[in-house]
Amino acid sequence: MNQLPPDVPAPYPVIDPLECKSCGRCVMVCPKKVLELGDELNARGYAFTRYKGAGCIGCLNCFYACPEPNAIKVHLPAKET
Amino acid sequence: MEQVVQTRGLYKTFPRKGGAAQTATHYCPGCEHGVLHKLIGEALADLDLQDRTIVISPVGCGVFAYYYFDTGNVQVAHGRAAAVGTGISRTQNNAVVVSYQGDGDLASIGLNETLQAANRGEKIAVFFVNNTVYGMTGGQMAPTTLVGSKTITSPEGRDPVQAGYPLHMAELINQLRAPVYIARVSFSNMGKLRRARQAIRKALEIQRDGKGYAFVEVLMACPTNQKMNVEEATRFVAEQMEVEYPLGVLRDRAAEAVPIVRSESDYAKETLDRIFSLDTDRAPDAQLTPDAPTFRVKMAGFGGQGVLSMGIILARTACQAGKFVSWYPSYGPEQRGGTANCGVVMSGTPVGTPLVTASDILVAMNRPSLEKFLRDVKPGGLLLYDAAMGEVTPPAGVRALAVPATRLAQEGGSARAANTAMVGVLAALGGFDLPERAYREAITCNFAGKDAVVQANLAVFDHARAWALEQELP
Ligand SMILES: Cc1ncc(C[n+]2csc(CCOP(=O)(O)OP(=O)(O)O)c2C)c(N)n1
Ligand code: SF4
Ligand code: SF4
């Protein structure tokens, strides 16, 4: 896999640990397999999903597959011109 | 600049939900209702439609959609979204009406009006969640349940001999001429989800442009009641539901369709009065007189004895005199014979229930009616009964008078007007304090166009009234 050099901004998902219901839909649809269900429970009792920290390509699959309105945001860097 | 992709078109927090977790939906983990909410919300935001939109929440798991959509919202009775949506659309020409319904709601209890609204081409975007079960109530069989599928009401699996076959709503609606857009979508992989997103936007663009009916059927599982995790649920949709219910755009006439322009609805009181011929001086507005007594009168007899028109004449009289009135008939399916009764309420304040369960006055034209309604007369009340039925012993506290109604009618000049004779007696003894002129106008109006009949009935009225003034009430 072609690793981007670290100084080029990369897309990344932000998962709100409190809002995740641990259903696993985002994990299932992530083409890069960079999301995983953790074993830590949030205040509502769900083992929330975490981003492994690298590898997101900004496809937005997790955002659209996630049923919880406030669980996932995806940051996309400014397009190169 | 960096872009942050996040949910739009939905509220940021959901205070209507109350209780804990006002930032999360009420849906079960993994349920795709939330996915659909996000897609609809995003499209409404992108198309700048939130301020024009009214989302109709159904009965079903989507019942609380109004917690989430940052639009106008109404929540309606089970299956009634199409009727309410029609009302909204017809009264607010510019409204974008979104109807969000499950298969129990839309395809079972609401099937009739779903088809009627589609057939009329109402300006509604319908998002139909086909999850093959009644989710909210615990997983009962739905019209859309697959053959062989086990639900709590088909424990051996749906048997088509007993329960018929899965109902194909998109195909049914595709038989109708009016709908502009019909599609069936699912979220069972990302390509299909993106096509679903396009279909949802299309349905809403059609509403933006006022072009008419759009129907998007969304296949999903109910992971909770079907006891599936998200992988199993996704496989169920892809491998079983989509076989029974093929995905695709069944119709897209968005490009050819022209905006529907319906004439402006006019609910002004003057307009309604004109339509119902209430703008005449025979139907003056009622005057609020809170101190005036309220009268509840029950009139009963054989069908054909004119008890219903007796009630109408009395109600018209009171209306003419500026009272609030109601007239409430009850009769069998037969035109003659059988029994008939009506209740008339006359009041100085608006009438609540038109039912007369406890009456101040009972007018009984035959013995069965007497026996049926006598016990409902209030103490101190009045019983007028046709003398032809013989001796009657009223209960203690009820004043009674035998009225020879048929004889009075004959003497007055019209044997058929026994009911009008009773009105004459009521005018004399009822204690209503209504002007005589009002009675005459009501009788005239009741037989309008038949001059001889009007004259005969006025004569019977006068004769019976004069007779009654001579009587002594106990
Ligand atoms: C008039 C009426 N009849 C029956 C019910 C009970 N009831 C509540 S939800 C429901 C079915 C809901 O199923 P569906 O429309 O498929 O929605 P889902 O819950 O699966 O999303 C029924 C029958 C009701 N609330 N009102
Ligand atoms: S799809 Fe949403 S709710 Fe489900 S595990 Fe991922 S972040 Fe959590
Ligand atoms: S019961 Fe079924 S349809 Fe209802 S929220 Fe839960 S998973 Fe969704």
Side-chain angles (χ1 to χ4, degrees):
Chain A
M1 191 165 86
N2 250 348
Q3 284 291 337
L4 292 164
D7 56 330
V8 174
Y12 60 97
V14 176
I15 296 156
D16 184 337
L18 179 65
E19 300 301 337
C20 172
K21 287 184 177 170
S22 192
C23 70
R25 283 198 180 275
C26 55
V27 177
M28 191 170 72
V29 299
C30 176
K32 296 289 163 190
K33 300 293 166 217
V34 293
L35 301 176
E36 60 183 356
L37 288 174
D39 37 29
E40 202 184 327
L41 300 187
N42 65 20
R44 295 172 186 159
Y46 293 114
F48 54 91
T49 290
R50 289 184 308 216
Y51 176 43
K52 292 179 184 168
C56 173
I57 55 166
C59 71
L60 302 179
N61 281 6
C62 62
F63 169 75
Y64 283 111
C66 174
E68 278 304 313
N70 294 319
I72 300 188
K73 291 177 187 166
V74 179
H75 290 246
L76 302 177
K79 287 216 176 69
E80 285 169 55
T81 43
Chain B
M1 234 188 43
E2 189 198 45
Q3 189 196 348
V4 181
V5 177
Q6 57 188 314
T7 298
R8 281 172 304 131
L10 307 185
Y11 295 118
K12 295 267 176 280
T13 60
F14 315 128
R16 287 176 187 152
K17 195 177 167 209
Q22 291 186 17
T23 43
T25 68
H26 69 289
Y27 294 110
C28 303
C31 175
E32 288 170 319
H33 268 299
V35 178
L36 180 56
H37 282 29
K38 282 171 64 179
L39 291 175
I40 296 171
E42 182 192 60
L44 288 172
D46 283 350
L47 298 172
D48 198 17
L49 289 178
Q50 282 165 267
D51 287 345
R52 281 175 58 190
T53 298
I54 296 170
V55 175
I56 303 176
S57 304
V59 167
C61 286
V63 64
F64 297 133
Y66 64 89
Y67 289 171
Y68 311 116
F69 285 102
D70 186 1
T71 58
N73 287 279
V74 287
Q75 194 283 320
V76 301
H78 204 18
R80 301 290 87 93
V84 175
T86 299
I88 295 169
S89 171
R90 299 268 180 139
T91 48
Q92 302 287 328
N93 261 335
N94 196 40
V96 168
V97 182
V98 172
S99 175
Y100 190 105
Q101 298 178 261
D103 41 50
D105 193 84
L106 177 140
S108 190
I109 192 169
L111 178 63
N112 174 13
E113 55 195 74
T114 294
L115 292 178
Q116 305 288 359
N119 192 42
R120 293 191 304 268
E122 296 298 339
K123 292 188 278 179
I124 305 177
V126 180
F127 297 109
F128 166 46
V129 173
N130 176 357
N131 62 4
T132 73
V133 287
Y134 294 2
M136 183 195 212
T137 43
Q140 292 81 2
M141 182 169 60
T144 50
T145 298
L146 301 184
V147 169
S149 258
K150 290 187 177 155
T151 69
I152 62 167
T153 48
S154 58
E156 308 292 326
R158 181 178 188 157
D159 172 4
V161 176
Q162 298 289 353
Y165 292 88
L167 200 55
H168 288 224
M169 283 309 305
E171 286 80 356
L172 256 183
I173 288 173
N174 201 22
Q175 300 308 305
L176 307 173
R177 262 175 74 174
V180 176
Y181 183 78
I182 303 166
R184 185 184 283 121
V185 301
S186 86
F187 307 142
S188 70
N189 67 32
M190 290 314 294
K192 292 173 192 164
L193 190 149
R194 290 195 159 84
R195 282 194 286 281
R197 183 168 175 262
Q198 292 313 317
I200 290 162
R201 297 173 101 78
K202 192 63 166 269
L204 292 170
E205 282 164 3
I206 289 166
Q207 305 318 306
R208 176 196 62 198
D209 301 337
K211 289 182 170 175
Y213 192 84
F215 184 87
V216 179
E217 176 170 344
V218 185
L219 304 183
M220 58 177 81
C222 168
T224 299
N225 285 300
Q226 293 177 302
K227 302 186 179 56
M228 295 170 176
N229 62 29
V230 294
E231 277 97 14
E232 292 161 342
T234 305
R235 239 180 293 127
F236 171 75
V237 174
E239 292 168 15
Q240 297 188 45
M241 288 192 75
E242 291 172 15
V243 173
E244 177 69 36
Y245 300 113
L247 302 182
V249 176
L250 287 77
R251 177 186 303 182
D252 183 357
R253 295 192 186 141
E256 311 91 88
V258 290
I260 296 172
V261 181
R262 294 203 164 97
S263 53
E264 203 58 54
S265 300
D266 181 359
Y267 294 102
K269 181 171 184 302
E270 303 75 61
T271 312
L272 297 178
D273 281 355
R274 196 164 58 244
I275 290 169
F276 294 108
S277 308
L278 294 174
D279 55 346
T280 67
D281 57 2
R282 284 184 178 143
D285 286 341
Q287 301 302 316
L288 203 58
T289 48
D291 294 337
T294 293
F295 292 97
R296 301 179 171 277
V297 183
K298 176 74 96 185
M299 300 164 162
F302 289 126
Q305 280 183 312
V307 292
L308 302 187
S309 47
M310 190 196 308
I312 288 186
I313 292 171
L314 183 61
R316 271 190 201 279
T317 304
C319 173
Q320 185 68 46
K323 299 291 181 192
F324 293 88
V325 294
S326 67
W327 171 81
Y328 190 78
S330 164
Y331 45 86
E334 56 283 74
Q335 288 282 313
R336 291 284 181 271
T339 58
N341 74 74
C342 66
V344 173
V345 181
M346 303 177 284
S347 180
T349 53
V351 177
T353 175
L355 289 178
V356 174
T357 44
S359 53
D360 299 295
I361 298 178
L362 170 64
V363 180
M365 299 299 280
N366 65 16
R367 194 165 278 276
S369 302
L370 180 88
E371 283 163 4
K372 186 163 176 201
F373 294 113
L374 187 53
R375 79 182 85 105
D376 299 335
V377 182
K378 291 188 210 163
L382 175 64
L383 164 67
L384 300 178
Y385 63 97
D386 192 327
M389 76 180 76
E391 221 22 60
V392 168
T393 326
V398 172
R399 298 163 301 147
L401 180 67
V403 178
T406 309
R407 178 170 63 77
L408 291 171
Q410 266 161 355
E411 290 168 2
S414 172
R416 290 173 57 197
N419 57 346
T420 304
M422 277 296 188
V423 176
V425 176
L426 280 167
L429 304 178
F432 308 137
D433 196 20
L434 300 171
E436 188 187 332
R437 172 187 51 81
Y439 287 98
R440 308 191 82 81
E441 282 172 15
I443 290 170
T444 308
C445 180
N446 196 59
F447 301 104
K450 293 175 255 176
D451 246 4
V453 183
V454 170
Q455 292 315 320
N457 276 273
L458 286 174
V460 169
F461 173 82
D462 288 338
H463 180 63
R465 186 160 168 276
W467 174 86
L469 288 171
E470 305 280 295
Q471 307 304 309
E472 267 181 47
L473 279 179

